Each structure stands twice: as C-alpha cells, then as structure tokens.
C-alpha cells in the first residue's frame, strides 16, 4: 500500500499540536484513497511518546531517536528525512506550516524535485493520486487551487488550525528506525535557546487585540483583557517594535484566531491582519476612523478615542461605576 | 572581510490593491502598485549592515519582468553595490521549483558568495519555500526566520538569531549559507538621494536571460514547475453586521459594556 | 571632556545660517523653552559654538516653535540651529532609526501617514475646477487624510465659492516636504519640492492657497532655497480671505460667540501674519474676541511643529496643555486657530484633559457666519 506521511514536529519531546491536526486529516484521506498513514517522529527520547502521537490517525509511527534531534536543526532533520524518504518512497509527505515545518519542506522539495503546496487550507487527492490543495495568497484575499504534477513524493505544508485533532481507536505499530548514519551537525549548531512562556492564542475563547492605535500601551490592553478573562493579541507593527512577542501576532504572518469574541483596539484593518480574524465569532472594534477598512470585518465599530473609552470601560467592568 | 553578500529580492503588488474578478477568475494586478517585498527590504538592510561591519559587496538579484528595473535601482540607491535582473519570457508561470533553480544558478554565476539573504516570505505568494530551496540547489546550509546576524568570526562561522515558537534560538552556522530574514526585524534605511540620482541615471543594471544561465526553456516556467494552479477563488470576508456606534466616550463605554456583558 | 573643534564649528554654524555666533549664552532660551526640561537649548548651542555636534534626544523632541527666539535678547534663530544640527546628524547617519519609516512613507505614498496616495482626495465631493482656477489649494497631508481636516477643506472651498472664486485643488501633489526638511534629508527634500513645484506650475494658477502655515512656510520661504520656483503668489487662506473681505466679496452674517485666537507659530512668528486672522474674526458681527496672554509674535505652540505631530513625541503635549490652560484662563471655550496641526493637537489633548474646549479653524467660524 502506498504511504501517506505526516511529519510530527516536536521540541524537547513536546509535540507540536498542529502536526496532530495534519495527522488526523491524513487518516481521513488515507481511508478514502487507500494510503497507509505514517507519522514520522524525530526527536530525543521520543519513543515513549509515540503512543500519544499514533492515536491521532497513524497506522505506523516511524521514530528516529537521537540526542542531536532534541531540537529542530535544518541540517540534521533534512538529512534524516532524506534517508527515510529514499528508503520507503512515500507517495506524499505532509507538514504543519509552522516555522520549522516550512523550513524543512522547502528543502526536501528541491532535494526530491517534488511539488510542494504551501500552507494549504484544504487538502485532497485527484483521480491519479496527485495532491490538490487550496493555497491562500495576496494577504489571504485570494485562494488558488494548486495541484502537484506527478512528482513523488509530493509535499504540502498545512496551515495550523485548519483541521481538527481527532482520536482513532484503531491500532498502530511503532517502529524505531536506525538509519546507520552519523547524526553530528557539521554546519549548524545550536548555541542557546531562550523561550518565554508560550501563549497559544489560536485556541483562545476571547481575545483583546491591540493595534498601533493603542500606541503600544500594553498595560491598558492587558488590564482590560484580564477583566474580560481574555488573552491578548497584537497586530504586526506592535510585534515589530518589540512591545509584544511574535507568538501573539495575528494575521497571515502570525496566528489565525478562532475566538468567540475578538475586541480589536486601534487596528486599521490591513489585509495581512484581517485574514487572522475572519474565523472569529463576534468582532467588536474601537477605532477613531469610522471609514477604516476594519469596518468591513467588524460586527460593531465603536468610533472614538481608545484612551477615553477604554479607561471608562475598565471602570464599568470593575464595578466602580454603574452602567 | 566578507566576500559577496547576495540578496534575492522580489517585487510584489501591494496586497490591498490586488482585486479578483470572480466571473473571469482572474487576479487583476494592473491597478495595484508594486513595491519591493517588505521582508526583502529587511534582508537588504541586514546585508548592508553586514557590509558596513565586515566589508564585502552587496549584490541584489531578482527574477522578473524588465519593469522591475526601477526597484532594483532603488535597492542600489539604498546601498547595494550591484544588481542583476533575470528576465526571460520563458520564466513566466514558474513555481518555487524552477524559481529556486534559476536563482541558485544565477547566484552560482555571480559566485564568490559568503552569505545569501532573502525575506522570510513574499507578501503575494507567501510560500517561504525559496530560501531553503536555494540552499539545497547550492548545497549550503539554510536558516529561516532569522532576526539578526550577531557576529561573523574569523574562522568562517556566523552567529545568528532565529525566531522560534515562544522565543528565539542562537545558532552557529558555517559560511557560506543562506538565511531568510524575518519581516520587520529592522528598519530599512531610506536611500541617499545623491546615490539615488546616480542609480537612476548612470548605474548599469545587468540583465540575464535563461541562456546566460545555461538553462533551457523546458527547465523553467510552467514547464519546469512541479505544481499547477487549476483554479482561483476569492476568499470573501465573513458577513459582519458592520454597525457603527458613535457618541460621547461615556456612552460608548456603556454600549461596549453591554455588548461584552454576555461574554464575562 | 570637550575638545574644541574649529573646523566643525564652522561647518555646524554654516549649516545653521551663522546663527550660533550671535548667542552669548545667557540661557533665556532654556528658561523659556516650552519643553525646557527635555531640551538643553543653551547647552546645545554652546556645544555648537565649540564645534561639537549634539545628538541628544532634545534635538529630536524640539517642536521648532521658536518661542525661545521670541524671548532671546540677541534674536538668535534657534530653530535654524536645531535644523542645522538635525541636517548634520542625518548626514552622519546618527538620527533616530524610526525617522526612516516616515521618509519611506512620504516617498511611497506621498504623505507621512502612509495612507494610500490614491485616497488623498477620494473623499472630496465638492466640485472644483481645474482649468485656470483663480486659486489652487495646496492642502496639508493632515488636512487631506484627517476627517477634521477634510471638513475644514470642504468648508474653505464652499466659502471661497460663495465669494465667487473659482477654486482648484492640487490633486497631483505630494507632502509639501515639511517633515523631510525637519528630519534633515536635504537631497530628498530638493527632489520632492522640485517635483511638487513643477506639477503645481503646470496647473497655471493665479494664486496658490495653503490651509497649513507649514505648507505656506515651505512653499514661500524654503522652496526657493532649493531652486523650486513657484511663479505666482503663495497665500495662507487667512490672507486670501481677508482680501476678499476687504474687497467686499465675503459677506458675513451674525454669530454670537466669545472666542480667542491661537496664532500658529509658522504663521505668526515665522511669517508675521497676525492681523489678517484677527481681522476676519472681528468682522463677524456678534463675536466677542479676547486675547490670550501669549499672542502674535510671542504666541505659544500646539506641540505639533518640527515633526512633533508625526513622531511619538509625548513631551510635546506639555506645550499643548499649557496653551489650553490659557484658553480657559480668558473665560471662553472656543479656540479659533488656522492650522491643521493645531486643530488636531488641541482637540486630542482637550479630550485627554477633559477640558470643554471647542477648536475651530477660522474657516469653521466664517462658514457658520455665512449660513
């Protein structure tokens, strides 16, 4: 049976959730088109984590366990993937379109002269088992349906958050691969890593989003978010100037929100941003300009000065003033 | 002293000005103004800073139609020493496979390179696949999403800062290498207009066709691509109420409170 | 320790029009500076005299209001020194990095806000004539892209048309270059202003009308220094409207109001235009006019000049507040002025301080009086 592979990303043994979304989707496609779904799991001491990966749709988990694979390293990871692909000749390899997933897929594609669909938002096969996916472009306003032409393996990276994580009851086997190659990095070495507490706002129920109109006054935004029980997100310029980490940057180069409520303060509505709020439930924006493009994306546009309205709202939420 | 620092640069239409005709299923870029891909400007800025610190020559290379000429001249005005435009009708319709092949072949032809920089992704296609792809063609290491090159040591290694989930990592990478530079990680310098006048009027832009690169038409463009666009769709924004609320700040705060109450 | 550098001293003095030589270091400037505790005015001039180029924060926080000059016993044009220092810092690549972003926006979109070039006049509904108009309005970017500025501009066109004037609007123009001049990028400024002047000339206006004292100052006083020629008179709208009034073409009705007037720095201090706006205000029957403590040549500042409005210059708002307090002191809540920067700065700050002050352009007032 032809194989459909999913690269499972991890860091220090912690599995990247969006890889499991891709795996769950792969299983659905595998059942439909007759592929064996294989999870490719590289890391250090990850063998005992293979169980928690496999249940999301794999019939086989291929584990490569090596201390040097503890963190992502483009040199080593592409080398391992190359060996594995040469050995097993999968039909398709899927990646989550995270930084590392995109990094790895771009290299593998040229290595195997493969077609690669970028950050797709839908995925399917055609009658000749060529991979077809929808690829958003131009800041997310236009999507192209793109097909791989007769290349094997064929590749795609999948936009995180598009597919749901599912659990399957069927059994799977775990195979540890010994590639018999030396896994010592020659060209890229990791010197240090600095990770703050990572906040994943892609699954937050409520989000307060700060745009440039807030002047980067994160104290005010955070106070409001706290009172609402919401998480904080920002537009790209605020991450650019460094008042907030990239992890909470919303839009086509950041996170796509799926919150029930998004309260957006002082964002004008640039296309690279609005693609990140299209899946939200209720969108309320506060902006000085009633004609700002953000209006198109808002259920309610409150026209006014953030610095006048938000402090008053904070008082109301604290119960210091009666509504 | 560094050898060549090559910046692969793309010109893109401003995304907000690109329109889509759902009837004819065509993307209309004609009314959209072009600009240097924003992340590529960050890459060029980083290249120029490296040159100031370690010497070397900054060379911009781009693959596109002859009208991109003025954007390459703008890059020269910003400080690039040389610019090369790869322009050939046969390149039309290239996906990332022939694109990386063409760019890598041109970079080989330029030769003598220590560092190749690209933007993390383009604002129109946004695949981010080009930098690792070029790295593979040239058989050199690649690193994506870097926000800085901190230091380059005498022994030919560079220390780079790469953004990762939750923070960043510091990597050591051996020269020559290719890196994708994160959008917004620095402020691109504004061109010196004395240099711009020279760049616009006197600078000799090099133009290569695929023959100059030893590539044949079968290897590039649509024919050389591994993917094909079969359809185009508009992604419509979801229907929103778009109700505009105005009034005094006190009133508006109360209205907001009413709207939010149900979510507390 | 400071080492005296005679060559540099000449270089900086020349970039500052020789002004540093006139200073004898009394310190009146620092005492009177509206942002005195962030800008070491006297010390900066001392450095310049010693041949050391200052590049402290104060250089970039200065709103170039030149209130200091109005108090200076030697009449030193201190804003000219600040501009000379900025120019040399820019040449030496020592100016704040963020300023590059403003320059890019002016280059790419023709305005310092970075709003799309194509939307500069997309809001303008009033019909204007572009074939041999009597006046061509060269609007400030803030007036073109800011809702409030658009109101003023629309009213100005209506008021002019009511007086039988054929009005044209300079649609092809970019930013007048004011911010580029203050950043100190002379070569970009030269290119920009020559392009603007050429396009403006091609409209063959009889008079160029500006709504902003900053545009006025640039067109009238700075463009010629960069060989950008405008062959017809450049007038601020208060000047032109005052002429219309005196010619009996502007008919004003009655309006009950007590108002005061804030002289924009670049109108009053830089260009001596103080009587025309007062003449217009007093021509409205029923308007009671009160003068604030600081007026005319010794006017205070809204905090928006010298780039203040385009950068995150929080300190500048101190100047704004000082002025608003003077408005309250004379017992009125109507502040009339004649500059889009002033209107934006005062309106924004009054919201923050909670002062009940209505800010008008003279055109707002005249427009009401005509109705």
């Amino acid at each position: 049976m032809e194989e459909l592979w999913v690269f499972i990303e991890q860091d220090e043994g912690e599995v990247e959730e969006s890889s499991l979304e891709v795996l769950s989707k792969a299983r659905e496609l595998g059942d439909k088109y007759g592929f064996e779904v294989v999870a490719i799991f590289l890391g250090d001491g990850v063998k005992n984590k293979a169980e928690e990966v496999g249940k999301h749709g794999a019939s086989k988990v291929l584990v490569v366990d090596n201390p040097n694979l503890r963190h992502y390293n483009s040199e080593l990871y592409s080398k391992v993937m190359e060996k594995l692909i040469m050995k097993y000749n999968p039909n398709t390899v899927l990646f989550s379109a995270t930084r590392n997933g995109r990094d790895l897929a771009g290299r593998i594609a040229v290595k195997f002269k493969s077609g690669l669909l970028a950050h797709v938002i839908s995925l399917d096969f055609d009658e000749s088992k060529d991979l077809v996916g929808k690829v958003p472009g131009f800041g997310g306003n236009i999507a192209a349906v793109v097909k791989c032409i007769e290349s094997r393996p064929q590749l795609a990276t999948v936009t995180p958050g598009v597919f749901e994580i599912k659990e399957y009851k069927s059994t799977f086997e775990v195979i540890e691969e010994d590639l018999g190659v030396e896994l010592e990095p020659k060209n890229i070495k990791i010197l240090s890593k600095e990770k703050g507490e990572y906040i994943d706002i892609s699954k937050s129920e409520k989000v307060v989003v700060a745009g440039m109109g807030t002047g980067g006054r994160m104290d005010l935004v955070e106070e409001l978010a706290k009172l609402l029980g919401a998480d904080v997100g920002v537009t790209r310029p605020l991450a650019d100037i460094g008042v907030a980490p990239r992890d909470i940057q919303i839009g086509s180069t950041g996170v796509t929100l799926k919150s029930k409520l998004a309260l957006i303060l002082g964002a004008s509505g640039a296309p690279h941003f609005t693609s990140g709020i299209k899946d939200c439930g209720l969108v309320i924006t506060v902006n000085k300009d009633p004609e700002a493009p953000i209006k198109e994306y808002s259920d309610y546009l409150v026209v006014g000065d953030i610095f006048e309205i938000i402090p008053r709202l904070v008082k109301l939420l604290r119960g210091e003033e009666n509504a | 002293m560094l050898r060549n620092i090559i910046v692969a640069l793309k010109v893109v239409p401003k995304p907000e000005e690109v329109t889509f005709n759902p009837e004819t299923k065509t993307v209309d870029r004609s009314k959209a103004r072009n600009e240097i891909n924003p992340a590529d400007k960050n890459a060029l800025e980083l290249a120029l800073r490296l040159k100031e610190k370690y010497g070397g020559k900054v060379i911009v290379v781009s693959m596109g139609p002859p009208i991109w000429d003025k954007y390459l001249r703008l890059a020269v005005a910003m400080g690039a020493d040389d610019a090369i435009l790869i322009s050939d009708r046969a390149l039309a319709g290239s996906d990332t496979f022939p694109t990386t092949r063409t760019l890598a072949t041109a970079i080989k032809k330029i030769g003598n390179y220590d560092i190749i920089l690209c933007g993390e992704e383009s604002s129109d296609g946004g695949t981010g696949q080009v930098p690792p792809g070029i790295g593979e063609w040239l058989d050199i290491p690649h690193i994506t999403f870097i926000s800085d090159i901190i230091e380059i040591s005498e022994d030919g290694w560079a220390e780079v800062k790469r953004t990762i989930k939750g923070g960043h990592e510091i990597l050591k990478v051996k020269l020559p290498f290719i890196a994708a530079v994160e959008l917004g990680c620095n402020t691109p310098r504004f061109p010196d207009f004395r240099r711009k006048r020279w760049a616009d009027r006197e600078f000799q832009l090099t133009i290569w066709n695929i023959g100059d690169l030893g590539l044949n038409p079968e290897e590039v463009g649509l024919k050389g691509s591994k993917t094909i666009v079969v359809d185009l769709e508009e992604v419509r924004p979801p229907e929103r109420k778009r109700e505009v609320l105005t009034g005094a700040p006190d009133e508006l705060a109360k209205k907001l409170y009413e709207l939010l109450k149900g979510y507390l | 320790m400071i080492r005296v550098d005679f060559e540099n001293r000449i270089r900086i003095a020349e970039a500052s029009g020789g002004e540093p030589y006139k200073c004898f270091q009394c310190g009146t400037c620092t005492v009177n500076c509206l942002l005195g505790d962030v800008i070491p005015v006297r010390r900066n001039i001392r450095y310049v005299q010693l041949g050391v180029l200052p590049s402290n924060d104060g250089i970039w926080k200065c709103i170039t209001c030149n209130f200091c000059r109005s108090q200076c016993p030697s009449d030193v044009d201190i804003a000219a020194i600040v501009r000379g220092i900025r120019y040399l810092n820019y040449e030496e690549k020592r100016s704040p990095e963020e300023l590059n972003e403003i320059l890019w926006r002016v280059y790419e979109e023709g305005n310092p806000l970075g709003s799309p070039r194509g939307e500069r006049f997309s809001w303008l509904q009033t019909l204007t004539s572009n074939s041999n108009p009597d006046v061509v309005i060269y609007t400030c970017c803030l007036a073109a892209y800011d809702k409030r500025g658009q109101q003023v501009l629309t009213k100005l066109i209506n008021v002019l048309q009511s007086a039988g004037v054929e009005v044209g609007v300079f649609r092809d123009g970019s930013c007048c270059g004011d911010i580029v001049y203050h950043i100190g990028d002379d070569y970009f400024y030269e290119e920009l202003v020559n392009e603007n002047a050429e396009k403006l000339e091609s409209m063959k206006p009889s008079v160029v009308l500006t709504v902003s004292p900053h545009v006025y100052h640039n067109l009238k006083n700075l463009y010629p220094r960069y060989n950008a020629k405008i062959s017809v008179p450049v007038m601020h709208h208060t000047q032109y409207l005052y002429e219309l009034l005196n010619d009996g073409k502007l008919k004003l009705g009655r309006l009950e109001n007590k108002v005061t007037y804030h002289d924009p720095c670049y109108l009053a201090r830089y260009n001596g235009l103080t009587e025309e706006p007062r003449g217009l205000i007093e021509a409205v029957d029923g308007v009671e006019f009160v003068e604030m403590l600081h007026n005319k040549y010794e006017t205070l500042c809204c905090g928006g000049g010298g780039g203040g409005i385009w950068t995150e210059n929080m300190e500048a708002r101190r100047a704004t507040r000082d002025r608003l307090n003077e408005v309250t002191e004379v017992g009125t809540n109507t502040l009339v002025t004649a500059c889009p920067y002033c209107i934006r700065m005062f309106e924004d700050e009054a919201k923050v301080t909670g002062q009940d002050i209505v800010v008008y352009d003279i055109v707002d007032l005249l427009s009401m009086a005509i109705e």
Side-chain angles (χ1 to χ4, degrees):
Chain A
M1 208 196 277
E2 281 192 289
E3 291 183 353
L4 169 56
W5 283 16
V6 178
F7 172 76
I8 305 296
E9 190 181 334
Q10 60 80 40
D11 187 53
E12 297 183 51
E14 197 183 314
V15 176
E16 163 63 39
E17 283 203 4
S18 59
S19 303
L20 303 178
E21 298 168 2
V22 182
L23 182 58
S24 304
K25 175 66 182 179
R27 174 57 180 264
E28 189 192 309
L29 292 169
D31 288 347
K32 192 169 164 193
Y33 295 101
F35 289 115
E36 182 171 18
V37 176
V38 183
I40 309 296
F41 197 23
L42 279 54
D44 174 25
V46 291
K47 201 183 163 192
N48 52 9
K49 304 232 166 160
E51 297 291 324
E52 61 176 89
V53 170
K55 66 183 179 192
H56 297 291
S59 52
K60 200 158 79 182
V61 183
L62 259 186
V63 175
V64 182
D65 210 319
N66 185 296
N68 285 330
L69 298 174
R70 189 171 174 80
H71 309 289
Y72 178 76
N73 173 322
S74 65
E75 181 189 0
L76 293 185
Y77 271 61
S78 53
K79 187 171 174 184
V80 171
M81 289 303 283
E82 180 185 1
K83 299 281 172 206
L84 290 175
I85 291 170
M86 292 203 342
K87 186 167 171 187
Y88 293 100
N89 278 318
N91 173 288
T92 300
V93 187
L94 304 176
F95 305 78
S96 172
T98 59
R99 289 189 185 86
N100 294 342
R102 294 166 64 184
D103 183 292
L104 184 56
R107 185 98 192 191
I108 305 285
V110 170
K111 220 178 254 291
F112 290 93
K113 302 192 170 13
S114 294
L116 165 55
L117 312 180
H119 46 71
V120 297
I121 50 173
S122 79
L123 207 54
D124 207 350
F125 288 91
D126 72 357
E127 62 283 357
S128 44
K129 283 194 180 173
D130 280 343
L131 192 60
V132 189
K134 223 181 259 181
V135 178
F138 299 104
N141 288 332
I142 297 162
V145 181
V146 188
K147 194 161 99 172
C148 290
I149 338 173
E150 295 161 7
S151 55
R152 297 292 183 270
Q154 47 192 345
L155 316 174
T157 62
V158 181
T159 299
V162 171
F163 301 115
E164 261 175 66
I165 297 182
K166 289 179 189 155
E167 279 191 30
Y168 293 86
K169 293 225 156 53
S170 50
T171 55
F172 54 89
E173 53 176 332
V174 177
I175 299 166
E176 194 174 354
E177 265 302 319
D178 182 11
L179 292 167
V181 290
E182 194 198 347
L183 283 179
E184 203 52 55
K186 290 193 181 66
N187 296 319
I188 299 174
K189 291 171 184 171
I190 299 174
L191 296 181
S192 64
K193 243 169 70 163
E194 213 170 286
K195 275 170 94 168
E197 194 196 337
Y198 173 70
I199 318 137
D200 181 9
I201 55 169
S202 69
K203 295 180 181 67
S204 302
E205 294 266 296
K206 294 175 260 182
V207 180
V208 178
V209 183
M212 256 330 228
T214 61
R217 281 275 309 278
M218 296 308 285
D219 50 339
L220 188 66
V221 178
E222 273 157 16
E223 186 180 13
L224 175 62
K226 207 171 154 192
L227 288 165
L228 290 169
D231 291 316
V232 173
V234 296
T235 61
R236 197 179 72 208
L238 281 182
D240 284 354
I241 62 171
V243 299
R246 291 268 176 219
D247 296 323
I248 60 166
Q249 176 185 319
I250 294 160
S252 55
T253 50
V255 181
T256 302
L257 295 180
K258 271 193 284 304
S259 58
K260 287 188 185 132
L261 169 73
L263 176 58
I264 298 166
L265 310 174
S268 61
H272 62 76
F273 167 68
T274 51
S275 67
I277 53 166
K278 61 182 191 313
D279 301 334
C280 291
L282 182 70
V283 177
I284 305 173
T285 56
V286 184
N287 203 297
K288 259 190 194 170
D289 181 2
E291 295 307 324
I294 193 74
K295 181 182 162 190
E296 285 297 299
Y297 304 87
S298 313
D299 290 304
Y300 297 95
L301 171 62
V302 177
V303 182
D305 190 327
I306 292 160
F307 299 107
E308 293 180 85
I309 297 169
I310 301 308
R312 288 177 167 90
L313 176 63
V314 164
K315 278 188 185 160
L316 290 170
L317 288 165
R318 281 209 200 112
E320 290 171 12
E321 250 168 49
N322 291 327
Chain B
M1 171 92 178
L2 282 176
R3 300 184 300 164
N4 290 334
I5 306 164
I6 299 176
V7 180
L9 185 141
K10 187 181 182 185
V11 177
V12 293
K14 288 180 184 266
E16 61 272 26
E17 294 177 8
V18 175
T19 53
F20 183 71
N21 184 337
E23 310 269 293
T24 57
K25 298 222 170 201
T26 46
V27 177
D28 184 6
R29 306 183 192 208
S30 64
K31 283 181 207 78
R33 287 170 303 151
N34 288 327
E35 60 183 351
I36 296 177
N37 180 43
D40 298 358
K41 263 193 192 171
N42 295 116
L44 178 56
E45 175 62 29
L46 182 56
L48 294 170
R49 288 181 192 186
L50 288 176
K51 181 195 158 161
E52 282 162 5
K53 209 165 153 194
Y54 301 103
K57 209 171 142 188
V58 175
I59 303 170
V60 174
V61 59
S62 189
M63 176 182 133
I67 50 159
W68 286 12
D69 168 292
K70 70 173 199 185
Y71 300 95
L72 291 183
R73 289 181 191 277
L74 183 62
V76 171
M78 283 172 73
D81 297 289
D82 205 352
I84 296 157
L85 179 65
I86 311 157
S87 203
D88 201 310
R89 284 187 179 278
L91 290 166
S94 294
D95 74 356
T96 49
F97 186 75
T99 301
T100 53
R101 178 178 212 161
T102 308
L103 286 169
T105 313
I107 290 166
K108 256 189 217 160
K109 188 175 159 94
I110 298 165
N112 217 13
Y113 51 83
D114 270 331
I115 295 176
I116 302 159
L117 297 176
C118 310
E120 67 174 31
E121 62 175 40
S122 60
S123 64
D124 56 348
T127 68
Q129 294 164 3
V130 168
I134 295 176
E136 178 62 24
W137 284 107
L138 296 175
D139 195 22
I140 56 173
H142 80 266
I143 296 187
T144 51
F145 305 100
I146 70 160
S147 58
D148 199 10
I149 293 181
I150 303 160
E151 213 189 326
I152 298 169
S153 57
E154 292 286 326
D155 60 355
W157 286 78
E159 220 177 283
V160 307
K161 189 173 173 183
R162 175 176 190 256
T163 302
I164 55 172
K165 194 174 182 179
H168 65 262
E169 59 188 5
I170 307 291
L171 302 169
K172 234 178 109 173
V173 55
K174 198 165 180 217
L175 269 49
F177 66 91
I178 180 164
V181 178
E182 196 173 58
L183 178 65
C185 68
N186 56 34
T187 308
R189 69 195 57 195
F190 189 68
D192 180 333
F193 266 64
R194 280 162 291 190
R195 187 172 169 84
K196 190 171 183 299
R197 276 170 215 161
W198 171 81
D200 284 341
R201 286 161 208 169
E202 285 167 58
F203 169 74
Q204 289 292 320
L205 180 77
T206 305
I207 299 182
W208 287 341
N209 59 30
I210 57 166
D212 294 324
L213 297 177
L215 294 168
N216 69 57
E218 305 294 314
E219 293 172 320
V220 295
L222 272 176
K223 286 177 192 157
S225 291
K226 301 291 175 186
T227 58
I228 183 170
V229 175
V230 289
D231 200 7
L232 284 172
E233 287 175 13
E234 186 177 20
V235 183
R236 275 166 209 265
E239 267 313 302
R240 295 283 179 194
K241 289 197 190 85
R242 297 183 191 115
E243 206 171 296
V244 177
L245 306 176
T246 53
D250 270 324
E251 249 175 83
L252 290 174
K254 279 176 192 163
K255 279 186 191 164
L256 260 176
Y257 180 75
E258 289 302 316
L259 287 171
L260 295 168
K261 220 166 57 178
Y263 291 87
L264 289 174
Chain C
M1 212 181 64
I2 286 178
R3 190 178 291 273
V4 182
D5 182 336
F6 290 100
E7 255 173 56
N8 212 24
R9 173 184 143 102
I10 296 168
R11 193 174 71 110
I12 310 171
E14 274 176 1
S16 314
E19 294 292 323
Y21 296 133
K22 296 191 337 206
C23 168
F24 53 77
Q25 291 286 302
C26 68
T28 308
C29 48
T30 309
V31 175
N32 282 286
C33 175
L34 304 182
L35 316 176
D37 46 350
V38 281
I39 308 177
V41 192
R42 182 200 58 78
R43 206 176 64 204
N44 281 342
I45 302 175
R46 189 66 190 145
Y47 278 139
V48 168
Q49 291 174 333
L50 296 173
V52 177
L53 184 66
S55 47
N56 53 59
D57 239 22
I59 295 302
W60 306 100
K61 293 288 178 197
C62 173
I63 46 185
T64 69
C65 67
N66 241 353
F67 181 65
C68 47
R69 178 184 188 174
S70 74
Q71 307 301 308
C72 172
S74 302
D75 190 32
V76 178
D77 185 352
I78 298 169
I81 300 178
V82 170
R83 151 64 206 182
I85 295 170
R86 285 185 181 181
Y87 161 70
L88 290 172
N89 270 291
Y90 187 81
E91 281 289 288
E92 291 175 14
K93 305 193 193 321
R94 282 160 66 185
S95 25
E97 221 179 270
E98 315 84 77
L99 297 178
N100 279 304
E101 286 169 19
I102 298 179
L103 294 172
W104 277 115
R105 293 201 284 264
V106 174
Y107 173 73
E108 284 177 347
E109 303 293 351
N111 67 81
L113 297 96
S115 302
R117 199 184 276 274
E119 289 173 17
R120 193 173 177 93
F121 289 109
S122 56
W123 53 271
L124 187 62
Q125 305 295 329
T126 320
L127 276 180
T128 56
S129 148
N130 277 342
S131 56
N132 301 317
D134 297 324
V135 297
V136 166
I137 299 178
Y138 191 146
T139 167
C140 165
C141 298
L142 191 62
Y145 289 102
D146 182 271
K147 286 266 141 23
R148 184 70 179 87
Q150 293 170 3
Q151 276 176 9
V152 173
L153 217 51
T154 309
K155 285 182 192 170
L156 174 63
I157 294 170
N158 292 340
V159 169
L160 288 169
Q161 287 174 340
S162 80
V165 179
E166 278 280 331
V167 185
V169 171
F170 183 36
R171 289 173 185 267
D172 296 335
S174 291
C175 165
C176 68
D178 187 57
I179 182 67
V180 179
Y181 181 77
H182 286 299
I183 288 173
D185 187 344
D186 263 28
Y187 300 92
F188 178 35
Y189 185 76
E190 188 180 357
E191 186 110 355
L192 183 70
V193 302
N194 276 285
E195 205 182 297
N196 281 335
E198 215 170 280
K199 286 182 184 162
L200 193 54
E201 286 281 285
S202 75
M203 284 185 80
K204 299 194 182 8
S206 313
V207 170
V208 175
L209 209 56
T210 71
V211 277
S212 165
H214 300 268
V215 179
Y216 176 77
H217 181 68
N218 276 265
L219 297 183
K220 197 173 171 67
N221 304 323
L222 302 178
Y223 275 38
R225 286 194 219 161
Y226 293 81
N227 302 316
K229 286 185 196 70
I230 296 170
S231 53
V232 296
V234 176
M235 295 176 90
H236 185 258
H237 68 284
T238 53
Q239 270 178 304
Y240 191 80
L241 291 167
Y242 191 58
E243 266 186 18
L244 288 179
L245 180 76
N246 289 339
D247 291 349
K249 289 180 184 152
L250 194 62
K251 305 255 186 299
L252 300 171
R254 198 181 152 79
L255 192 72
E256 301 274 341
N257 208 337
K258 182 179 176 185
V259 307
T260 187
Y261 174 70
H262 164 73
D263 290 277
C265 306
Y266 278 77
L267 207 56
R269 206 158 15 241
Y270 280 80
N271 287 295
L273 297 176
T274 55
E275 294 316 314
E276 292 84 347
R278 284 175 176 75
L280 286 165
I281 294 170
E282 284 170 343
V284 183
D285 194 22
V287 165
E288 185 193 340
F289 177 69
V290 280
E291 200 74 79
M292 283 183 280
L293 178 62
H294 292 91
N295 59 60
K296 298 180 185 171
Y297 187 68
E298 291 181 79
T299 182
L300 295 184
C301 177
C302 73
I309 200 159
W310 305 115
T311 50
E312 292 293 310
N313 191 346
M314 297 305 278
E315 287 86 350
R317 295 167 75 167
R318 211 170 314 162
T320 328
R321 282 195 292 275
D322 284 347
R323 191 46 150 179
L324 288 175
N325 289 338
E326 283 200 357
V327 177
T328 311
E329 275 164 25
V330 292
T332 173
N333 70 344
T334 307
L335 171 62
V336 181
T337 185
C339 169
Y341 290 3
C342 296
I343 297 176
R344 182 78 282 130
M345 295 298 289
F346 288 135
E347 279 189 353
D348 283 354
E349 198 57 24
K351 280 184 200 159
V352 175
T353 59
Q355 277 161 293
D356 175 28
I357 293 175
V358 184
V359 187
Y360 285 147
D361 189 281
I362 285 187
V363 170
D364 290 312
L365 199 74
L366 298 182
S367 177
M368 284 188 288
I370 285 172
E371 284 159 17

